[in-house]
Amino acid sequence: MDNNNYVAIMAGGIGSRFWPLSRTDYPKQFLDILNTGRTLIQATYDRFTLFVPKENIYIVTTHQYKDIVAEQLPDIPVANILCEPSRKNTAPCIAYISYKLHQLNPEANLICAPADHIILDPHGFKETCLQALHFTAHIKALVTLGIKPTHPNTGYGYIQYDQQKVSENVFKVKTFTEKPDKDLARTFISSGDFLWNAGIFVWQVKNILKAFETFLPEMHDVFDAEKDNFSSEKEKEAIERIYPQCVNISIDYGVMEKADNVYIIPSSFGWSDLGTWASAYENFEKDYLDNAVSGNNVMIIDATKNMVHAGNDKLVLIQGLDDFIVVDTDDVLLICKKEKEQEIKEYVAEVKRNKGDRYI
């Protein structure tokens, strides 16, 4: 293992599209949604320990989830659990870990990945990541992993890339497109030069810091002014001063879409961002009527292609539903058409407006 290789697992989101199972106080990255025996963040950590030293793996989360992270990942040193004072999207999150690592090791080569993705081929994932780390160790590049699309999914971002490779399986990025409609997604797939944006990034920290300086100079300035306080007893206070000054922006919008040294590696390792109940449906075993069922006390009669999640204590009987999401928890029952899965986030906002935070 290369001691210059590091990982930042981003674990601060609330997973609102997985409501009502995912809640603000215990979101989806800490749940075993697919009944594998490991939560999503545990599975993510397991994958990276195959090729990155454990002491080089960091979790970036919020103070609210620090204890949950420590409980689920007991091998992680407490110093490697970084807590953001507020949610400001991925750019400040990545800036935090990057400026901190640059103080510890200026040659740090970093993978930034979400905590809640499904990857069915850990060996293929390892080989792709090692390829990316080798490339970024020698080239001043910002690399993203792209997934070869299998269908015109409208919930993913798409990346167009140049067909002329610059290295083995590494290509220059041409354009980013965020969540196209169905017709445009079909056009992208038929063209053959678009990939899904997996949101997994690889770079040397010194190169991403240069990108922050160029494209997000205000954010760069506030982090750079506090850099000497990182990895000291003053770090918490420094971060609490920094975050109110940071704009809420993703690394995609803030840096990747603007930089001219962005490259992509087309990848196939059984990836899903597990962003919605329909994506969970795709990863579940199905019964003979194509229903995906989580729960030992669920009965299905004349119903097909449903995603059903329920506890084991209550009998849940479903008849006549086709292509629905049914999620039953102690205090919430959700029945929603699968085609409306992207709108669950909006339904959660409506619940909050009408019922307050009790069910959120």
Side-chain angles (χ1 to χ4, degrees):
M1 291 189 183
D2 189 333
N3 287 324
N4 286 334
N5 291 342
Y6 293 80
V7 169
I9 299 174
M10 299 178 284
I14 59 174
S16 57
R17 285 181 296 172
F18 254 98
W19 183 84
L21 191 63
S22 179
R23 303 292 180 95
T24 302
D25 61 350
Y26 216 92
K28 68 169 181 172
Q29 60 266 33
F30 305 118
L31 303 174
D32 180 10
I33 289 175
L34 298 182
N35 300 328
T36 64
R38 297 288 277 171
T39 66
L40 296 178
I41 193 173
Q42 287 173 331
T44 301
Y45 173 77
D46 293 346
R47 283 194 294 274
F48 284 118
T49 59
L50 298 176
F51 60 96
V52 174
K54 289 184 177 182
E55 63 272 18
N56 287 9
I57 299 176
Y58 287 76
I59 311 297
V60 187
T61 185
T62 69
H63 291 290
Q64 185 178 9
Y65 306 143
K66 182 178 181 179
D67 290 345
I68 304 175
V69 171
E71 177 187 351
Q72 294 202 358
L73 300 176
D75 290 346
I76 288 275
V78 173
N80 287 27
I81 304 175
L82 309 187
C83 296
E84 299 178 284
S86 59
R87 296 182 180 91
K88 289 289 185 81
N89 215 316
T90 52
C93 167
I94 288 171
Y96 181 7
I97 182 62
S98 299
Y99 283 88
K100 180 181 175 70
L101 285 182
H102 193 255
Q103 292 297 105
L104 295 171
N105 180 358
E107 299 304 312
N109 207 3
L110 176 65
I111 301 173
C112 295
D116 53 3
H117 287 185
I118 292 294
I119 290 170
L120 301 177
D121 178 9
H123 178 73
F125 178 71
K126 170 186 173 181
E127 293 305 310
T128 302
C129 287
L130 288 175
Q131 184 180 22
L133 288 165
H134 179 78
F135 184 75
T136 55
H138 295 89
I139 304 292
K140 294 179 181 179
L142 310 179
V143 171
T144 183
L145 304 188
I147 306 300
K148 296 171 184 176
T150 57
H151 61 283
N153 192 305
T154 59
Y156 295 154
Y158 286 71
I159 300 175
Q160 184 184 29
Y161 64 103
D162 195 316
Q163 297 297 294
Q164 186 70 36
K165 64 183 177 182
V166 299
S167 183
E168 185 61 34
N169 202 35
V170 181
F171 300 82
K172 191 80 182 286
V173 167
K174 293 170 71 174
T175 63
F176 287 79
T177 303
E178 184 65 22
K179 296 181 180 178
D181 61 29
K182 185 74 79 172
D183 289 340
L184 188 54
R186 288 194 186 99
T187 301
F188 286 169
I189 289 179
S190 63
S191 75
D193 59 355
F194 282 82
L195 300 168
W196 286 334
N197 184 358
I200 301 171
F201 307 104
V202 187
W203 42 55
Q204 282 195 302
V205 292
K206 60 187 176 185
N207 293 323
I208 192 64
L209 295 194
K210 288 176 185 174
F212 273 105
E213 185 175 11
T214 303
F215 302 111
L216 291 171
E218 296 87 357
M219 193 177 297
H220 161 77
D221 289 346
V222 294
F223 274 95
D224 192 62
E226 299 277 5
K227 64 185 179 182
D228 290 338
N229 292 322
F230 293 146
S231 300
S232 77
E233 68 278 359
K234 298 178 181 178
E235 181 173 327
K236 183 175 183 290
E237 290 77 11
I239 287 300
E240 288 176 350
R241 287 191 294 269
I242 288 169
Y243 264 66
Q245 302 178 67
C246 289
V247 65
N248 187 325
I249 191 170
S250 71
I251 196 71
D252 301 81
Y253 284 127
V255 173
M256 302 298 279
E257 295 183 13
K258 300 172 183 176
D260 61 2
N261 61 331
V262 179
Y263 298 84
I264 195 164
I265 297 179
S267 311
S268 295
F269 39 66
W271 173 89
S272 169
D273 78 340
L274 210 66
T276 63
W277 280 110
S279 62
Y281 172 83
E282 295 299 327
N283 286 281
F284 256 98
E285 289 187 15
K286 319 291 193 301
D287 65 15
Y288 73 102
L289 291 175
D290 280 336
N291 296 294
V293 177
S294 176
N296 296 329
N297 217 1
V298 176
M299 294 178 61
I300 306 282
I301 299 173
D302 298 329
T304 62
K305 299 179 181 177
N306 297 294
M307 175 69 239
V308 183
H309 193 288
N312 296 326
D313 296 332
K314 184 193 302 182
L315 173 64
V316 175
L317 189 150
I318 294 171
Q319 187 278 330
L321 289 183
D322 298 323
D323 285 302
F324 269 77
I325 298 163
V326 179
V327 184
D328 185 52
T329 70
D330 289 342
D331 58 348
V332 175
L333 171 63
L334 170 72
I335 303 173
C336 173
K337 289 183 178 178
K338 253 200 289 178
E339 66 188 38
K340 297 292 186 180
E341 55 150 5
Q342 295 290 340
E343 298 176 31
I344 289 179
K345 198 171 186 177
E346 299 170 23
Y347 305 154
V348 173
E350 189 68 18
V351 169
K352 185 170 184 175
R353 279 192 293 270
N354 284 275
K355 301 290 185 179
D357 292 332
R358 177 180 174 184
Y359 300 104
I360 306 302

